[in-house]
Amino acid sequence: MTDVAARARVSLATVDRVMHRRKGVKERTTERVLKAALELGFLSPEQSAHIATPRPPNIVFLLPAGTNPYLRLLGDKLRARAAQNGRDAASIRCIFIESFNARALAAALRHHAGWADGIAFMAIDHPEVREAVETVTAAGVSVVTIVSDLPHPGRAGFVGLDNQSAGRTAAMLLARFSRRSSGSLALVAGSRNYRAHSEREAGFLALLDEMYPDLHVVGVREGHDDAGENYRHAMSLLEQHPDLIGIYNVGGSSNGIARALVERGRAADVLFIGHGLTADTRRLLIDGTMDAVIDSDPDTILSTAVSVICAARGRGPALHAQPAVRMDIFFRENLPSGSGIAPLAGL
């Protein structure tokens, strides 16, 4: 390698980077190093051709930390995928960062851009995050938003639900299931800083205005996808609004809301719809505390995000547009078997 470095007029570190197909080496430099390695017999033509081909991308997934079971499920699936990847597959890392913190997300985007060729993340709609996306995409890193979008001309794509449609669907289900012409409905969101949550809220309210004007929303509480906060919000709603007939959990950690309904003896008469088919929501569907779960298949989200980044790096077929991820609606009667959902701890 020292002889290759001398002939190519580069550092030994640069030769090492080329041989291990690491990022950060200009194409012309790579060509010079490979030419020198061939001339010295350090590499065979087959080895040189392999190194010269675009290497599999390094991909980082940034997910919010916390008690949201759906996001933990995504993390578990990512770790399993990373452990199974072969030599010529994308290298994947899953990093959990502080939830609902735009500054922490922006810092993570900049930090992990040093290793990553592509970053997939659940976006927070905030100027600091947009500026970080501008910085890393300008540096050549491909960016994909998952679950919650941040429209930016430099991003490679968004992988997730049509969230306005999801909100409208939740409103339709609650209204139809209730068979009531009047009453109160409540929404519990993670945070409106997630575009996914604000879009679901907008779709929910729009459908009620159009079709069920006598069903009124008594407010939107932000529970930050935390089971404890969601529990306290649900308890408050039940105490303050005796005519409450339904709750739509726009975000995650539905188990907190379910706990309040059970403790107050309202699980049978307050309709409850949420997102993400996980071990806890599956159990809540079976025991009747939840009435419906709107789901986006986690394997589809992860596979599509990886495919979009690989395509952007020239490692797969071009993807000109990504349709919204299919929205599945689960009830107690149509729960899938063998879904790969990890069991609840202690069960």
Side-chain angles (χ1 to χ4, degrees):
M1 288 177 64
T2 301
D3 294 340
V4 172
R7 177 168 289 213
R9 302 186 305 279
V10 299
S11 68
L12 186 60
T14 297
V15 175
D16 182 73
R17 296 183 73 83
V18 170
M19 296 302 162
H20 291 91
R21 301 167 81 190
R22 297 192 181 100
K23 65 181 295 187
V25 184
K26 294 180 180 178
E27 185 176 350
R28 286 179 297 177
T29 303
T30 298
E31 291 173 356
R32 201 161 71 241
V33 169
L34 293 178
K35 181 174 182 292
L38 273 172
E39 291 172 350
L40 292 170
F42 185 77
L43 293 177
S44 68
E46 292 77 16
Q47 291 171 322
S48 177
H50 175 73
I51 294 172
T53 58
R55 62 173 176 77
N58 298 330
I59 301 175
V60 169
F61 281 80
L62 300 176
L63 299 177
T67 63
N68 186 328
Y70 183 78
L71 296 179
R72 293 205 305 268
L73 177 63
L74 283 178
D76 291 342
K77 288 182 174 291
L78 277 169
R79 292 188 181 100
R81 182 185 291 261
Q84 295 171 358
N85 278 350
R87 178 181 175 184
D88 291 322
S91 297
I92 295 174
R93 293 178 181 175
C94 176
I95 309 295
F96 280 90
I97 60 173
E98 185 179 349
S99 302
F100 307 99
N101 187 327
R103 181 160 296 178
L105 176 56
L109 285 165
R110 290 189 171 95
H111 173 74
H112 292 287
W115 176 81
D117 301 294
I119 301 177
F121 69 105
M122 187 170 164
I124 297 174
D125 195 353
H126 189 277
E128 290 194 44
V129 178
R130 288 195 291 272
E131 187 64 20
V133 171
E134 184 74 24
T135 300
V136 301
T137 55
V141 177
S142 301
V143 167
V144 171
T145 54
I146 60 172
V147 182
S148 188
D149 196 13
L150 179 73
H152 185 281
R155 67 159 170 65
F158 165 64
V159 183
L161 292 175
D162 178 338
N163 285 298
Q164 284 214 3
S165 177
R168 291 179 65 88
T169 300
M172 177 66 77
L173 290 172
L174 283 178
R176 289 294 184 94
F177 282 0
S178 71
R179 299 189 178 186
R180 298 273 294 276
S181 59
S182 63
S184 297
L185 301 174
L187 286 80
V188 177
S191 171
R192 290 185 178 94
N193 286 335
Y194 282 131
R195 185 177 287 263
H197 293 192
S198 62
E199 288 177 347
R200 290 171 190 173
E201 176 189 346
F204 188 93
L205 297 176
L207 185 126
L208 291 183
D209 285 344
E210 293 169 18
M211 300 183 64
Y212 302 97
D214 293 326
L215 293 176
H216 61 282
V217 174
V218 294
V220 180
R221 312 289 179 95
E222 291 191 356
H224 302 100
D225 286 354
D226 179 81
E229 283 192 57
N230 283 355
Y231 167 78
R232 291 187 290 274
H233 285 317
M235 291 292 281
S236 175
L237 287 164
L238 292 168
E239 291 170 3
Q240 296 174 14
H241 304 283
D243 67 336
L244 189 69
I245 62 172
I247 298 176
Y248 172 37
N249 184 18
V250 178
S253 297
S254 289
N255 50 336
I257 298 171
R259 177 185 160 202
L261 290 172
V262 171
E263 288 185 8
R264 287 290 177 179
R266 301 291 306 278
D269 62 288
V270 174
L271 295 164
F272 180 23
I273 292 175
H275 280 264
L277 184 63
T278 57
D280 64 325
T281 55
R282 185 185 183 98
R283 174 176 57 82
L284 294 171
L285 284 172
I286 290 172
D287 70 21
T289 306
M290 290 190 79
D291 295 279
V293 169
I294 298 171
D295 189 56
S296 48
D297 178 57
D299 290 309
T300 298
I301 288 177
L302 300 180
S303 297
T304 305
V306 170
S307 296
V308 171
I309 290 174
C310 287
R313 312 304 300 182
R315 292 284 300 186
L319 301 174
H320 301 292
Q322 296 85 49
V325 172
R326 188 184 70 186
M327 178 168 53
D328 295 315
I329 303 174
F330 291 108
F331 308 96
R332 183 173 63 177
E333 309 306 329
N334 71 334
L335 284 171
S337 59
S339 59
I341 296 173
L344 289 171
L347 294 183

